[in-house]
Amino acid sequence: MKKIFIYILSLLSLTKISSQVISYDTAFIPGIVKKNASVIKRNENILFEVTDIDKALLFIERAFTIMNDVDKEKLTFVEGTSKFVSLEDVDIKVYDAKGKLTTRFKKKDLTTVARGEGLIDDVKIHFIEIPATSYPVTVEFKYEMRFKGTLIYPRYDIIGPGEGVENSSFTAKVPKELDLRFREKNINIVPEIKEDGKYKLYRWSVKNLEPFEYEERSVSYENRYPSVILAPNKFKMDDYEGDMTTWKSFGLWYLELQKKQGNLTEERKAFFRDLVKDVSGDKQKIKLIYQYLQQNFRYVSIQLGIGGFKPLPADFTDNKKYGDCKGLSNYTQACLSAVGIKSYQVLIKREPRDQPLDNNFPYNSFNHVVVCVPLQKDTIWLECTSKTNDFGVLGVDNENKNALMITENGGVLVPTPISLPSSNTFSSTSLVILMEDGSGAANINLLGSGEYKDDLISQLLQEKKDGQKNYLYHYMGFKQPDEFEISKKENDRDLELSLKMEFEKLPEFTAGTKMFLNQRIYKIWSAKLPANDSRKLDFYFDNPFEKTDTTIFKLPGGYGVDVLPKEKQLKFEYGTYQTKHWFDEKQNSVITTARLILTQHRIPAARYAETKKFFDEVLDDNNQKLVIKKL
């Protein structure tokens, strides 16, 4: 207790907190901070103190005034702990609009749950949801965390969306012989740097910041708003000491963690040699081993080993038939080694809207591990946690970035594959039989690859009837059927589904002897892009894609075409859209085709306006009707 008291006094001194009680009366919030804000950071003082190469303390004092329920998640306290991080004192106070204390919570009031699906109890989550009967309400958090390893330094997140900031400061105290590195993001802010005996102190502070406008589908959250990233020069986790001043040296530290973790028994090595004995060429051998992994192992999102980095031994994964990303990647590498194929583990930030790593600022932002197999004429990438990814496909969360390959000589930044439209395709072919009373039936063939394959599996094949219907209608834009059936068709690579739909009323409306029909049975594009006349951040689609549709309307006897929709040809820098419509008199059928291509998923802010215009026009084209009439 005496030690904790001394550290708290240090925090008070470093952050220059007034000895007076802070008033949380909302009447005192400056206008520039309050205007258009849904939450206001009233007071924040953070002290991060590194006491040794493997020990650190974090003291946090933070108060938010939540103006309405838009940001009510700020009323939730949540922190994670493990064998390397412990949560110490916690004091939470709740104030009303006048700044009057109404409720108080301590550490004993928190709910604690273990992560790891009950298999591992290394990681725990501690949380409490603060009830609010009215707004505005202010919540003040004061707590301490203790670190038994210094691989990851906390970052200073200065401001978030819709948030005003009254006062905020972050102080880092580190031994001179260790020092630290820092990098500002989206803000020009210079720390005050002082020396205190054997320590060096860095202090960043801000005051009276107006809220940032939220922009949908922009870069990942941690790269979007003003912040300061801190990184160690030297660090230690358990008995593993490392250097993070270069990507090479950081890779050498990770390589040390892997040693002796890739061992398989001689019996299992022989199994894999037997598995691939009938195929020639390394690529086919890799494919067989990857398929074996997909069919026999499951992914468990748990953090095993040192700070989520050290994998459990390959023979453990082999026996248990499960693992997290690093465990499954380590196991895959061991299997490939057993058949004489060299591969590398690759650390990556699994985030579809992330920015590339900085060549000149090594720090740990990784949350995922994949495997790379360089061949003489090709490079094979393996996402070892997926049961559905096609062989050699990483998926959009891992594409379009650079990652850290762990080689014998240390870490090397390498580019991951670029997302291509041809990797994410969706096509539909529909035969619609229309009856004279307006009822009808449709036989539809769907073919999906890449992200669309994953969506069809998770949202149609693995969902119950109500979930399937909701996905077809609300997400894919199909006309809502009265009855439907889904079945899977055999296909070597893509996912192919057969849909049978029945409709009591197929036309959108009728007028006399005329029926007004949509051009196709579903909307090839149904998302309305957010309005933003002065967008500042780049816009991200989920992935580039290529979508095609062919719909054949078999007309009832005695009916013909009154109006065909006008053909469309749209184009902008990153995409095209084309439609065609014609009447086959011999078959008494109308055929409509559409093709929509997006060539890249990241749209520069300066080109967003034309992008939105393009997709708005695609949406407008959905409204064109095919009109048939009784002859």
Side-chain angles (χ1 to χ4, degrees):
M1 180 59 71
K2 181 178 179 182
K3 187 176 181 181
I4 292 174
F5 180 69
I6 291 172
Y7 278 125
I8 291 175
L9 287 180
S10 174
L11 172 64
L12 295 176
S13 174
L14 286 167
T15 55
K16 300 179 182 178
I17 298 176
S18 170
S19 59
Q20 294 181 339
V21 175
I22 298 172
S23 173
Y24 292 128
D25 190 333
T26 57
F28 299 136
I29 301 173
I32 190 173
V33 175
K34 192 174 183 178
K35 185 179 179 181
N36 298 324
S38 56
V39 62
I40 297 161
K41 189 184 291 184
R42 305 295 300 277
N43 184 58
E44 179 178 61
N45 290 285
I46 301 172
L47 169 62
F48 177 62
E49 182 171 355
V50 179
T51 58
D52 205 341
I53 192 171
D54 62 347
K55 293 181 178 65
L57 294 160
L58 180 66
F59 300 96
I60 294 178
E61 175 185 300
R62 179 182 292 133
F64 291 106
T65 293
I66 296 89
M67 305 301 293
N68 49 57
D69 63 2
V70 171
D71 270 308
K72 62 183 179 181
E73 72 274 3
K74 295 288 188 183
L75 289 165
T76 300
F77 173 89
V78 57
E79 283 290 352
T81 60
S82 68
K83 60 182 288 188
F84 299 101
V85 182
S86 61
L87 177 64
E88 305 297 328
D89 291 345
V90 177
D91 188 17
I92 302 171
K93 296 178 181 178
V94 184
Y95 300 84
D96 65 15
K98 296 294 184 182
K100 179 183 177 182
L101 178 65
T102 60
T103 320
R104 189 170 187 174
F105 302 95
K106 305 294 284 186
K107 185 180 177 183
K108 63 181 177 60
D109 300 310
L110 304 182
T111 297
T112 299
V113 296
R115 291 185 61 188
E117 297 188 0
L119 301 171
I120 300 295
D121 60 1
D122 190 20
V123 177
K124 294 182 174 65
I125 302 297
H126 311 267
F127 67 93
I128 186 171
E129 296 181 356
I130 311 299
T133 57
S134 62
Y135 295 93
V137 60
T138 298
V139 60
E140 179 187 71
F141 303 108
K142 292 183 181 181
Y143 59 102
E144 173 190 345
M145 303 194 76
R146 195 175 297 270
F147 297 84
K148 296 179 182 178
T150 52
L151 171 64
I152 302 173
Y153 281 8
R155 56 184 288 146
Y156 178 29
D157 290 313
I158 297 171
I159 190 170
E163 178 180 280
V165 177
E166 215 172 331
N167 291 288
S168 176
S169 72
F170 186 107
T171 300
K173 182 178 180 181
V174 61
K176 290 179 184 177
E177 68 270 18
L178 296 178
D179 209 349
L180 57 75
R181 294 169 296 116
F182 62 89
R183 180 64 52 91
E184 302 91 351
K185 295 188 75 68
N186 306 312
I187 190 172
N188 292 320
I189 184 172
V190 179
E192 178 185 357
I193 304 175
K194 294 182 179 180
E195 293 187 0
D196 180 14
K198 65 176 184 177
Y199 287 95
K200 196 170 183 180
L201 281 73
Y202 298 81
R203 184 175 187 270
W204 294 265
S205 62
V206 295
K207 187 180 180 69
N208 292 341
L209 299 183
E210 61 182 319
F212 263 67
E213 181 183 357
Y214 172 70
E215 293 186 353
E216 291 183 54
R217 288 192 162 271
S218 51
V219 70
S220 60
Y221 187 92
E222 68 177 42
N223 290 304
R224 190 181 310 170
Y225 301 106
S227 62
V228 179
I229 300 171
L230 306 180
N233 292 315
K234 307 287 185 180
F235 64 93
K236 188 176 181 181
M237 300 293 290
D238 268 1
D239 296 326
Y240 296 85
E241 187 171 327
D243 183 314
M244 203 183 286
T245 55
T246 67
W247 288 116
K248 178 180 179 179
S249 61
F250 181 53
L252 288 172
W253 174 80
Y254 187 82
L255 188 67
E256 189 68 23
L257 297 185
Q258 293 179 260
K259 286 184 178 179
K260 300 180 181 180
Q261 300 303 102
N263 295 330
L264 289 171
T265 64
E266 289 303 319
E267 180 183 1
R268 293 301 286 165
K269 290 179 182 179
F271 168 83
F272 286 107
R273 287 193 289 269
D274 185 66
L275 180 69
V276 302
K277 69 179 184 341
D278 294 328
V279 299
S280 61
D282 285 349
K283 188 170 184 178
Q284 287 304 309
K285 293 178 181 179
I286 299 166
K287 185 175 183 178
L288 274 180
I289 289 175
Y290 184 67
Q291 289 174 338
Y292 172 81
L293 178 79
Q294 287 186 309
Q295 293 165 7
N296 294 278
F297 289 77
R298 67 187 178 95
Y299 168 63
V300 180
S301 181
I302 51 179
Q303 298 300 310
L304 307 175
I306 294 181
F309 273 84
K310 186 176 182 178
L312 289 174
D315 57 358
F316 174 91
T317 305
D318 189 56
N319 290 329
K320 297 295 185 181
K321 297 296 186 287
Y322 69 77
D324 63 356
C325 62
K326 61 186 178 296
L328 294 174
S329 294
N330 179 67
Y331 178 70
T332 302
Q333 189 178 34
C335 297
L336 293 171
S337 178
V339 299
I341 297 175
K342 190 168 189 59
S343 62
Y344 299 99
Q345 293 185 42
V346 181
L347 306 183
I348 198 166
K349 179 68 178 295
R350 188 176 186 176
E351 164 62 56
R353 301 198 293 270
D354 200 39
Q355 290 180 334
L357 296 172
D358 188 335
N359 288 304
N360 301 313
F361 187 73
Y363 82 106
N364 174 48
S365 64
F366 306 108
N367 62 6
H368 195 51
V369 184
V370 298
V371 171
C372 180
V373 192
L375 300 178
Q376 187 173 3
K377 295 183 179 180
D378 197 3
T379 299
I380 308 298
W381 292 88
L382 302 175
E383 168 53 270
C384 302
T385 66
S386 174
K387 284 184 170 292
T388 59
N389 275 26
D390 292 323
F391 170 66
V393 175
L394 276 182
V396 295
D397 287 357
N398 298 319
E399 295 173 337
N400 311 299
K401 59 190 67 178
N402 49 12
L404 191 67
M405 179 183 287
I406 308 301
T407 74
E408 304 90 335
N409 300 315
V412 178
L413 287 183
V414 294
T416 64
I418 297 172
S419 292
L420 299 172
S422 57
S423 300
N424 303 287
T425 63
F426 181 85
S427 68
S428 61
T429 304
S430 305
L431 174 61
V432 182
I433 310 297
L434 181 63
M435 308 304 290
E436 190 171 356
D437 63 358
S439 64
N443 294 319
I444 306 160
N445 197 70
L446 301 179
L447 194 65
S449 72
E451 290 304 299
Y452 294 109
K453 175 182 177 180
D454 289 346
D455 286 348
L456 292 175
I457 290 173
S458 62
Q459 301 298 329
L460 291 183
L461 287 185
Q462 296 176 351
E463 277 286 338
K464 294 182 179 179
K465 198 81 170 181
D466 287 345
Q468 293 173 336
K469 189 172 185 178
N470 182 67
Y471 184 74
L472 289 169
Y473 178 61
H474 290 289
Y475 181 80
M476 297 187 71
F478 272 91
K479 184 174 180 64
Q480 188 164 349
D482 296 292
E483 298 290 341
F484 70 95
E485 292 180 4
I486 300 175
S487 59
K488 183 180 177 182
K489 301 177 73 173
E490 290 300 320
N491 190 293
D492 291 337
R493 180 179 183 273
D494 299 333
L495 179 69
E496 189 169 2
L497 299 181
S498 175
L499 274 69
K500 295 183 183 298
M501 294 183 168
E502 293 182 6
F503 305 88
E504 289 186 6
K505 184 180 179 182
L506 196 54
E508 292 301 295
F509 58 93
T510 59
T513 60
K514 295 182 179 181
M515 297 185 189
F516 294 75
L517 302 159
N518 288 328
Q519 301 174 59
R520 55 195 67 90
I521 203 70
Y522 87 107
K523 295 178 180 178
I524 197 168
W525 181 258
S526 58
K528 188 170 181 61
L529 301 192
N532 196 320
D533 295 333
S534 56
R535 192 174 179 96
K536 299 180 179 63
L537 301 174
D538 293 350
F539 180 89
Y540 287 77
F541 289 90
D542 290 336
N543 48 265
F545 57 79
E546 183 174 325
K547 302 180 74 174
T548 59
D549 175 83
T550 298
T551 301
I552 302 170
F553 289 96
K554 183 71 173 176
L555 306 186
Y559 275 76
V561 172
D562 184 48
V563 178
L564 284 176
K566 294 180 181 178
E567 294 185 357
K568 277 282 185 178
Q569 287 196 358
L570 303 174
K571 186 176 182 179
F572 79 120
E573 184 171 352
Y574 307 112
T576 58
Y577 175 68
Q578 298 172 318
T579 66
K580 290 185 178 180
H581 320 277
W582 66 94
F583 178 61
D584 185 331
E585 187 174 355
K586 185 176 180 180
Q587 298 295 326
N588 198 33
S589 299
V590 175
I591 300 97
T592 74
T593 64
R595 185 181 187 89
L596 176 62
I597 298 175
L598 179 71
T599 59
Q600 70 176 47
H601 75 303
R602 180 179 179 178
I603 307 298
R607 311 308 296 267
Y608 178 71
E610 66 181 273
T611 304
K612 176 172 169 53
K613 181 176 182 293
F614 173 87
F615 281 97
D616 282 349
E617 289 181 355
V618 174
L619 281 177
D620 288 342
D621 187 57
N622 283 331
N623 295 324
Q624 284 201 81
K625 296 292 184 283
L626 161 65
V627 186
I628 65 172
K629 66 178 180 179
K630 192 168 185 178
L631 301 176

